[in-house]
Amino acid sequence: RKLIDIMDGNDPSAEVSRRRQALTVKELADEYLERHARVKKAPSSVYYDNRMIERDLKPWHHRKAEDIKRRDVIRLLDEIADRAPVKANRVKSLISKIYNFGIRRDEVEYNPVSNIDPPAREIARDRVYSDAEIVALWAAFKSVRNGLRGVLELILLTGQRPGEVFGMRWSELDGARWLLPPERTKNRRPHVVPLSRQARAIIDGLRGNDEFVFPANRNATHTTISSADARKVREESGVSDFRAHDLRRTALTNMGKIGVSRYIQNRIANHADSTMGGVYDRHEYFDEKALALNRWADRLDQIRTGKKAKVVKLGRAAK
Protein backbone atom coordinates (compact mmCIF):
# COMPACT_ATOMS: atom_id res chain seq x y z
CA ARG A 1 0.00 0.00 0.00
CA LYS A 2 2.76 2.44 0.95
CA LEU A 3 4.61 1.57 -2.30
CA ILE A 4 1.48 2.29 -4.33
CA ASP A 5 1.04 5.62 -2.54
CA ILE A 6 4.62 6.58 -3.28
CA MET A 7 4.24 5.58 -6.94
CA ASP A 8 1.11 7.75 -7.09
CA GLY A 9 3.11 10.70 -5.78
CA ASN A 10 1.68 10.59 -2.24
CA ASP A 11 3.72 10.79 0.93
CA PRO A 12 2.47 8.27 3.53
CA SER A 13 4.50 9.91 6.27
CA ALA A 14 2.75 13.21 5.61
CA GLU A 15 -0.63 11.55 6.10
CA VAL A 16 0.57 9.97 9.34
CA SER A 17 1.73 13.38 10.53
CA ARG A 18 -1.56 15.00 9.54
CA ARG A 19 -3.55 12.35 11.38
CA ARG A 20 -1.41 12.83 14.47
CA GLN A 21 -2.13 16.56 14.45
CA ALA A 22 -5.85 16.21 13.70
CA LEU A 23 -8.00 17.41 16.60
CA THR A 24 -9.86 15.04 18.86
CA VAL A 25 -13.52 15.72 19.58
CA LYS A 26 -12.57 17.12 23.00
CA GLU A 27 -9.94 19.42 21.50
CA LEU A 28 -12.36 20.70 18.87
CA ALA A 29 -15.06 21.18 21.49
CA ASP A 30 -12.66 23.12 23.73
CA GLU A 31 -11.74 25.37 20.80
CA TYR A 32 -15.44 25.92 20.15
CA LEU A 33 -15.93 26.95 23.78
CA GLU A 34 -12.94 29.28 23.83
CA ARG A 35 -13.21 30.94 20.42
CA HIS A 36 -16.96 30.91 19.85
CA ALA A 37 -19.16 30.21 22.86
CA ARG A 38 -17.36 32.41 25.39
CA VAL A 39 -17.20 35.23 22.85
CA LYS A 40 -20.73 35.14 21.51
CA LYS A 41 -22.93 33.38 24.06
CA ALA A 42 -24.26 34.21 27.50
CA PRO A 43 -22.41 32.68 30.48
CA SER A 44 -25.34 30.39 31.27
CA SER A 45 -25.26 28.98 27.73
CA VAL A 46 -21.49 28.44 27.96
CA TYR A 47 -21.99 26.62 31.25
CA TYR A 48 -24.52 24.20 29.75
CA ASP A 49 -22.43 23.68 26.61
CA ASN A 50 -19.41 22.78 28.72
CA ARG A 51 -21.44 20.45 30.91
CA MET A 52 -22.76 18.55 27.88
CA ILE A 53 -19.27 18.32 26.42
CA GLU A 54 -17.88 16.92 29.67
CA ARG A 55 -20.72 14.49 30.30
CA ASP A 56 -22.56 13.59 27.12
CA LEU A 57 -19.69 13.72 24.65
CA LYS A 58 -17.26 11.95 26.98
CA PRO A 59 -17.32 8.66 24.96
CA TRP A 60 -15.90 10.63 22.02
CA HIS A 61 -13.29 12.70 23.86
CA HIS A 62 -10.27 10.83 22.55
CA ARG A 63 -11.61 10.06 19.09
CA LYS A 64 -10.50 12.15 16.13
CA ALA A 65 -13.23 14.63 15.25
CA GLU A 66 -12.94 13.75 11.57
CA ASP A 67 -13.68 10.09 12.36
CA ILE A 68 -17.15 10.69 13.79
CA LYS A 69 -19.80 9.48 11.35
CA ARG A 70 -23.56 9.93 11.19
CA ARG A 71 -24.07 6.45 12.65
CA ASP A 72 -21.98 7.47 15.69
CA VAL A 73 -24.20 10.51 16.22
CA ILE A 74 -27.38 8.45 15.84
CA ARG A 75 -26.19 5.86 18.36
CA LEU A 76 -25.16 8.48 20.90
CA LEU A 77 -28.43 10.40 20.56
CA ASP A 78 -30.48 7.20 20.82
CA GLU A 79 -28.73 6.32 24.08
CA ILE A 80 -29.43 9.76 25.52
CA ALA A 81 -33.01 9.87 24.19
CA ASP A 82 -33.85 6.61 25.99
CA ARG A 83 -33.49 8.41 29.33
CA ALA A 84 -33.90 12.10 28.39
CA PRO A 85 -35.47 12.83 24.97
CA VAL A 86 -35.31 16.63 25.15
CA LYS A 87 -31.71 16.46 26.37
CA ALA A 88 -30.88 14.47 23.22
CA ASN A 89 -32.16 17.39 21.14
CA ARG A 90 -29.83 19.75 23.00
CA VAL A 91 -26.84 17.45 22.47
CA LYS A 92 -27.63 17.14 18.77
CA SER A 93 -27.73 20.92 18.45
CA LEU A 94 -24.43 21.31 20.30
CA ILE A 95 -22.63 18.69 18.19
CA SER A 96 -23.82 20.47 15.06
CA LYS A 97 -22.56 23.83 16.33
CA ILE A 98 -19.17 22.36 17.22
CA TYR A 99 -18.75 20.81 13.79
CA ASN A 100 -19.95 23.90 11.93
CA PHE A 101 -17.35 25.82 13.91
CA GLY A 102 -14.76 23.20 12.93
CA ILE A 103 -15.67 23.53 9.25
CA ARG A 104 -15.23 27.30 9.40
CA ARG A 105 -11.83 26.76 11.05
CA ASP A 106 -10.85 24.13 8.46
CA GLU A 107 -10.43 21.50 11.18
CA VAL A 108 -13.03 19.10 9.75
CA GLU A 109 -14.60 18.76 6.33
CA TYR A 110 -18.20 17.87 7.08
CA ASN A 111 -20.85 17.91 9.80
CA PRO A 112 -21.94 14.39 10.82
CA VAL A 113 -25.21 15.76 12.23
CA SER A 114 -26.46 16.82 8.78
CA ASN A 115 -29.89 15.37 7.89
CA ILE A 116 -30.39 13.74 11.31
CA ASP A 117 -33.86 14.43 12.70
CA PRO A 118 -34.26 15.72 16.27
CA PRO A 119 -34.70 12.72 18.61
CA ALA A 120 -37.69 14.26 20.39
CA ARG A 121 -40.67 16.42 19.55
CA GLU A 122 -40.76 19.53 21.71
CA ILE A 123 -43.65 21.76 22.67
CA ALA A 124 -42.84 25.28 23.82
CA ARG A 125 -43.59 25.65 27.53
CA ASP A 126 -46.19 28.33 28.32
CA ARG A 127 -46.83 27.71 32.02
CA VAL A 128 -48.11 30.72 33.97
CA TYR A 129 -48.93 30.38 37.66
CA SER A 130 -52.36 31.33 38.97
CA ASP A 131 -52.77 33.76 41.87
CA ALA A 132 -53.34 30.83 44.24
CA GLU A 133 -50.18 29.10 43.02
CA ILE A 134 -48.19 32.33 43.44
CA VAL A 135 -49.32 32.48 47.08
CA ALA A 136 -48.32 28.85 47.64
CA LEU A 137 -44.96 29.25 45.91
CA TRP A 138 -44.04 32.45 47.77
CA ALA A 139 -44.69 30.66 51.06
CA ALA A 140 -42.66 27.65 49.87
CA PHE A 141 -39.67 29.86 49.05
CA LYS A 142 -39.23 30.31 52.82
CA SER A 143 -38.35 26.63 53.10
CA VAL A 144 -35.16 26.89 51.04
CA ARG A 145 -31.83 28.49 51.97
CA ASN A 146 -31.99 32.25 52.32
CA GLY A 147 -29.92 33.10 49.25
CA LEU A 148 -32.04 30.93 47.00
CA ARG A 149 -35.21 32.34 48.51
CA GLY A 150 -34.10 35.83 47.50
CA VAL A 151 -33.29 34.65 43.98
CA LEU A 152 -36.72 33.13 43.43
CA GLU A 153 -38.51 36.16 44.86
CA LEU A 154 -36.50 38.52 42.66
CA ILE A 155 -37.18 36.50 39.51
CA LEU A 156 -40.90 36.88 40.18
CA LEU A 157 -40.60 40.57 41.06
CA THR A 158 -38.34 41.62 38.18
CA GLY A 159 -39.16 39.15 35.40
CA GLN A 160 -35.45 38.57 34.72
CA ARG A 161 -33.75 35.33 33.69
CA PRO A 162 -32.89 32.98 36.59
CA GLY A 163 -29.21 32.74 35.62
CA GLU A 164 -28.87 36.53 35.62
CA VAL A 165 -30.44 36.84 39.06
CA PHE A 166 -28.29 34.00 40.45
CA GLY A 167 -25.16 35.84 39.31
CA MET A 168 -26.13 39.31 40.56
CA ARG A 169 -23.14 41.28 41.85
CA TRP A 170 -23.06 44.27 44.20
CA SER A 171 -21.08 46.18 41.58
CA GLU A 172 -24.10 45.97 39.25
CA LEU A 173 -26.39 47.77 41.69
CA ASP A 174 -26.85 51.52 41.68
CA GLY A 175 -29.66 52.58 43.99
CA ALA A 176 -32.92 51.69 42.28
CA ARG A 177 -31.14 50.39 39.17
CA TRP A 178 -29.64 47.01 38.38
CA LEU A 179 -27.09 47.43 35.58
CA LEU A 180 -26.47 44.16 33.78
CA PRO A 181 -23.29 44.23 31.66
CA PRO A 182 -23.43 42.77 28.12
CA GLU A 183 -21.31 39.75 29.00
CA ARG A 184 -24.03 38.66 31.44
CA THR A 185 -27.04 38.96 29.13
CA LYS A 186 -28.38 36.53 26.55
CA ASN A 187 -28.34 39.03 23.67
CA ARG A 188 -24.96 40.48 24.70
CA ARG A 189 -26.39 43.96 25.22
CA PRO A 190 -26.32 45.95 28.47
CA HIS A 191 -29.62 45.91 30.31
CA VAL A 192 -30.96 48.27 32.97
CA VAL A 193 -33.55 46.84 35.36
CA PRO A 194 -35.45 49.29 37.59
CA LEU A 195 -35.81 47.90 41.12
CA SER A 196 -39.07 48.32 43.01
CA ARG A 197 -38.97 49.03 46.75
CA GLN A 198 -39.95 45.38 47.31
CA ALA A 199 -36.98 44.18 45.24
CA ARG A 200 -34.60 46.57 46.99
CA ALA A 201 -35.81 45.36 50.40
CA ILE A 202 -34.85 41.78 49.51
CA ILE A 203 -31.42 42.86 48.29
CA ASP A 204 -30.76 45.15 51.26
CA GLY A 205 -31.53 42.26 53.59
CA LEU A 206 -28.60 40.34 52.11
CA ARG A 207 -25.88 42.95 52.53
CA GLY A 208 -22.43 41.39 52.85
CA ASN A 209 -18.78 41.69 51.90
CA ASP A 210 -18.85 39.16 49.08
CA GLU A 211 -18.72 40.10 45.40
CA PHE A 212 -22.00 38.29 44.82
CA VAL A 213 -25.36 39.33 46.24
CA PHE A 214 -26.10 35.62 46.65
CA PRO A 215 -22.66 34.19 47.61
CA ALA A 216 -24.07 30.76 48.44
CA ASN A 217 -24.75 30.45 44.71
CA ARG A 218 -21.19 31.36 43.70
CA ASN A 219 -20.72 28.04 41.89
CA ALA A 220 -24.15 28.27 40.30
CA THR A 221 -23.95 31.69 38.70
CA HIS A 222 -24.31 30.14 35.26
CA THR A 223 -27.14 27.77 36.08
CA THR A 224 -30.46 27.76 37.88
CA ILE A 225 -32.16 26.13 40.85
CA SER A 226 -30.93 22.61 41.64
CA SER A 227 -33.23 19.63 41.18
CA ALA A 228 -33.18 19.06 44.97
CA ASP A 229 -34.24 22.63 45.73
CA ALA A 230 -36.88 22.58 42.98
CA ARG A 231 -38.27 19.34 44.44
CA LYS A 232 -38.50 20.93 47.87
CA VAL A 233 -40.43 23.92 46.49
CA ARG A 234 -42.77 21.55 44.65
CA GLU A 235 -43.42 19.53 47.80
CA GLU A 236 -43.96 22.58 50.02
CA SER A 237 -46.18 24.45 47.55
CA GLY A 238 -48.08 21.60 45.94
CA VAL A 239 -47.18 23.04 42.52
CA SER A 240 -45.92 19.78 41.06
CA ASP A 241 -44.51 21.23 37.84
CA PHE A 242 -42.64 24.19 39.35
CA ARG A 243 -39.73 25.60 37.36
CA ALA A 244 -37.81 28.78 38.15
CA HIS A 245 -38.09 30.10 34.58
CA ASP A 246 -41.90 29.97 34.81
CA LEU A 247 -41.69 32.71 37.45
CA ARG A 248 -40.32 35.04 34.77
CA ARG A 249 -43.15 34.17 32.38
CA THR A 250 -45.69 34.61 35.17
CA ALA A 251 -44.34 38.08 36.02
CA LEU A 252 -44.40 39.29 32.41
CA THR A 253 -47.87 37.85 31.80
CA ASN A 254 -49.24 39.58 34.88
CA MET A 255 -47.71 42.86 33.74
CA GLY A 256 -49.81 42.50 30.61
CA LYS A 257 -52.90 42.00 32.78
CA ILE A 258 -52.36 45.37 34.50
CA GLY A 259 -51.93 47.16 31.19
CA VAL A 260 -48.22 47.06 30.40
CA SER A 261 -47.78 47.07 26.65
CA ARG A 262 -46.07 44.16 24.93
CA TYR A 263 -43.33 46.54 23.83
CA ILE A 264 -42.43 47.50 27.42
CA GLN A 265 -42.72 43.88 28.52
CA ASN A 266 -40.11 43.00 25.89
CA ARG A 267 -37.90 45.84 27.11
CA ILE A 268 -38.15 44.56 30.67
CA ALA A 269 -37.41 41.01 29.51
CA ASN A 270 -34.47 42.26 27.40
CA HIS A 271 -35.65 40.33 24.37
CA ALA A 272 -33.62 40.87 21.22
CA ASP A 273 -35.18 43.38 18.81
CA SER A 274 -33.84 43.01 15.26
CA THR A 275 -36.31 45.42 13.66
CA MET A 276 -35.02 48.62 12.11
CA GLY A 277 -36.40 50.59 15.04
CA GLY A 278 -34.82 48.19 17.51
CA VAL A 279 -31.41 48.48 15.88
CA TYR A 280 -31.32 52.27 16.08
CA ASP A 281 -33.39 52.90 19.20
CA ARG A 282 -31.02 52.95 22.19
CA HIS A 283 -33.45 54.64 24.57
CA GLU A 284 -33.69 52.45 27.70
CA TYR A 285 -37.32 53.37 28.55
CA PHE A 286 -36.24 53.39 32.20
CA ASP A 287 -39.20 55.41 33.48
CA GLU A 288 -41.70 53.25 31.63
CA LYS A 289 -40.07 50.06 32.87
CA ALA A 290 -39.90 51.41 36.42
CA LEU A 291 -43.58 52.30 36.41
CA ALA A 292 -44.49 48.84 35.13
CA LEU A 293 -42.30 46.97 37.62
CA ASN A 294 -43.49 49.07 40.56
CA ARG A 295 -47.11 48.42 39.62
CA TRP A 296 -46.44 44.71 39.28
CA ALA A 297 -44.68 44.60 42.67
CA ASP A 298 -47.71 46.26 44.28
CA ARG A 299 -50.02 43.84 42.50
CA LEU A 300 -47.88 40.93 43.73
CA ASP A 301 -48.20 42.24 47.30
CA GLN A 302 -51.96 42.23 46.85
CA ILE A 303 -51.94 38.66 45.54
CA ARG A 304 -49.71 37.42 48.38
CA THR A 305 -51.53 39.14 51.23
CA GLY A 306 -55.07 39.13 49.94
CA LYS A 307 -55.33 42.79 50.87
CA LYS A 308 -56.77 45.21 48.38
CA ALA A 309 -54.33 47.73 47.02
CA LYS A 310 -54.65 50.58 44.62
CA VAL A 311 -53.12 48.97 41.55
CA VAL A 312 -54.18 51.04 38.57
CA LYS A 313 -53.91 49.69 35.06
CA LEU A 314 -51.20 51.44 33.11
CA GLY A 315 -52.13 53.84 30.38
CA ARG A 316 -50.09 55.93 28.00
CA ALA A 317 -47.00 56.08 30.22
CA ALA A 318 -46.30 52.40 29.66
CA LYS A 319 -46.98 52.33 25.94
Side-chain angles (χ1 to χ4, degrees):
R1 174 70 185 185
K2 290 183 178 179
L3 181 59
I4 294 174
D5 285 338
I6 292 171
M7 291 176 66
D8 288 342
N10 298 321
D11 182 0
S13 63
E15 175 60 17
V16 171
S17 177
R18 187 200 68 78
R19 280 285 297 175
R20 188 178 296 119
Q21 295 177 31
L23 296 182
T24 63
V25 171
K26 182 63 163 60
E27 289 169 339
L28 179 60
D30 286 345
E31 267 203 32
Y32 159 82
L33 285 175
E34 188 64 31
R35 298 182 180 276
H36 177 81
R38 289 194 174 94
V39 175
K40 298 185 177 182
K41 302 179 76 173
S44 57
S45 296
V46 176
Y47 171 87
Y48 284 116
D49 282 356
N50 184 61
R51 191 165 70 169
M52 283 189 284
I53 289 167
E54 293 298 329
R55 296 181 181 181
D56 301 293
L57 300 189
K58 188 174 182 179
W60 294 356
H61 278 188
H62 299 295
R63 294 184 61 180
K64 296 294 186 181
E66 63 186 16
D67 289 344
I68 300 297
K69 307 300 181 185
R70 291 181 69 242
R71 63 176 174 272
D72 297 309
V73 177
I74 292 170
R75 288 170 183 165
L76 179 69
L77 296 180
D78 283 349
E79 290 175 5
I80 297 171
D82 287 342
R83 63 179 187 276
V86 175
K87 176 68 173 297
N89 285 0
R90 301 292 178 271
V91 174
K92 171 186 177 292
S93 177
L94 177 60
I95 296 171
S96 184
K97 291 174 184 175
I98 290 171
Y99 271 85
N100 284 335
F101 167 81
I103 291 170
R104 294 193 298 271
R105 301 279 298 181
D106 200 27
E107 298 289 358
V108 291
E109 294 185 355
Y110 80 107
N111 188 336
V113 180
S114 297
N115 298 319
I116 294 179
D117 293 330
R121 178 174 176 268
E122 293 188 56
I123 299 174
R125 189 172 171 87
D126 58 0
R127 184 73 160 90
V128 173
Y129 299 124
S130 67
D131 287 1
E133 288 174 322
I134 290 174
V135 172
L137 286 168
W138 194 275
F141 295 162
K142 297 177 183 178
S143 68
V144 298
R145 49 197 164 86
N146 190 46
L148 178 58
R149 173 185 173 182
V151 168
L152 297 175
E153 291 174 346
L154 281 177
I155 295 170
L156 188 55
L157 276 165
T158 66
Q160 301 309 299
R161 294 181 176 89
E164 293 168 355
V165 179
F166 267 93
M168 181 185 287
R169 291 162 170 79
W170 292 112
S171 59
E172 297 170 353
L173 299 172
D174 179 18
R177 301 190 305 166
W178 174 20
L179 312 173
L180 273 160
E183 61 270 19
R184 286 235 301 121
T185 64
K186 186 174 182 179
N187 61 14
R188 314 301 283 181
R189 286 187 54 181
H191 180 44
V192 181
V193 183
L195 296 172
S196 63
R197 60 178 174 79
Q198 293 89 335
R200 295 199 305 276
I202 293 170
I203 294 169
D204 289 343
L206 296 166
R207 284 289 177 186
N209 298 320
D210 200 277
E211 173 189 359
F212 293 91
V213 175
F214 306 102
N217 304 316
R218 181 193 304 279
N219 296 324
T221 55
H222 304 324
T223 183
T224 184
I225 182 172
S226 70
S227 57
D229 285 321
R231 184 167 55 252
K232 189 167 187 178
V233 172
R234 292 184 189 116
E235 292 171 351
E236 292 289 332
S237 66
V239 180
S240 61
D241 63 342
F242 167 73
R243 292 187 188 177
H245 197 85
D246 293 339
L247 297 171
R248 168 175 160 90
R249 188 182 302 106
T250 297
L252 294 166
T253 299
N254 274 278
M255 288 180 212
K257 289 181 180 179
I258 59 174
V260 179
S261 72
R262 183 64 59 84
Y263 185 79
I264 296 301
Q265 288 179 53
N266 285 335
R267 288 287 180 167
I268 290 171
N270 197 24
H271 286 155
D273 185 354
S274 59
T275 64
M276 182 65 72
V279 171
Y280 288 100
D281 185 359
R282 290 295 181 261
H283 175 50
E284 286 291 345
Y285 292 87
F286 181 85
D287 291 341
E288 295 87 344
K289 291 191 296 185
L291 180 59
L293 285 166
N294 284 327
R295 294 294 188 186
W296 161 234
D298 289 341
R299 170 59 184 154
L300 181 57
D301 280 348
Q302 180 185 358
I303 293 171
R304 292 192 305 102
T305 63
K307 297 178 181 178
K308 290 186 178 182
K310 188 177 180 180
V311 181
V312 183
K313 284 195 172 186
L314 300 179
R316 294 182 180 276
K319 294 181 180 179

